[in-house]
Amino acid sequence: MKLEDLEGLKLILSKLYETLDMALESNKLAGKAILNVYRELDDTNDISNRTLLSLESYLGRLSLFEGFKLTNEGKNFYEQIDSIDQKYTTAS
């Protein structure tokens, strides 16, 4: 992953995290998942193709079973994450 995409992804993840209402249990679970992915990202490690896919899958399961919902702003950040993911998963 290119450094500018990596840095952009970290920024997007942190902004997505900021949209969560931590009073809700489902958002706390989502927040942990987002933080775990964020921690995997650093300037020396590239992420595996499955990292973002796993995050998307986990947030999707939370939406189905735990009532987790993204705000409109959060949905925008989520789409940006998906766009970065698509850039690298379709390139391989």
Side-chain angles (χ1 to χ4, degrees):
M1 181 177 283
K2 292 181 183 173
L3 184 59
E4 61 266 15
D5 288 331
L6 187 62
E7 290 171 351
L9 182 56
K10 287 173 78 169
L11 180 62
I12 293 165
L13 285 168
S14 64
K15 288 185 176 199
L16 176 61
Y17 184 85
E18 289 172 10
T19 68
L20 301 179
D21 176 359
M22 288 305 178
L24 303 173
E25 191 60 35
S26 61
N27 287 27
K28 289 178 187 174
L29 294 171
K32 285 181 186 176
I34 292 167
L35 281 176
N36 286 342
V37 171
Y38 184 92
R39 289 180 182 129
E40 282 188 41
L41 305 175
D42 63 43
D43 298 342
T44 59
N45 274 340
D46 201 0
I47 60 171
S48 71
N49 288 342
R50 309 234 35 59
T51 302
L52 293 180
L53 188 63
S54 295
L55 175 63
E56 291 172 2
S57 174
Y58 184 71
L59 294 181
R61 281 197 311 277
L62 281 178
S63 298
L64 288 174
F65 302 112
E66 302 291 337
F68 172 67
K69 289 182 177 53
L70 289 168
T71 63
N72 286 338
E73 187 180 19
K75 287 177 187 172
N76 180 34
F77 293 132
Y78 188 77
E79 287 169 6
Q80 291 176 47
I81 291 168
D82 190 52
S83 176
I84 291 173
D85 184 42
Q86 290 298 318
K87 181 177 178 180
Y88 288 94
T89 54
T90 56
S92 12

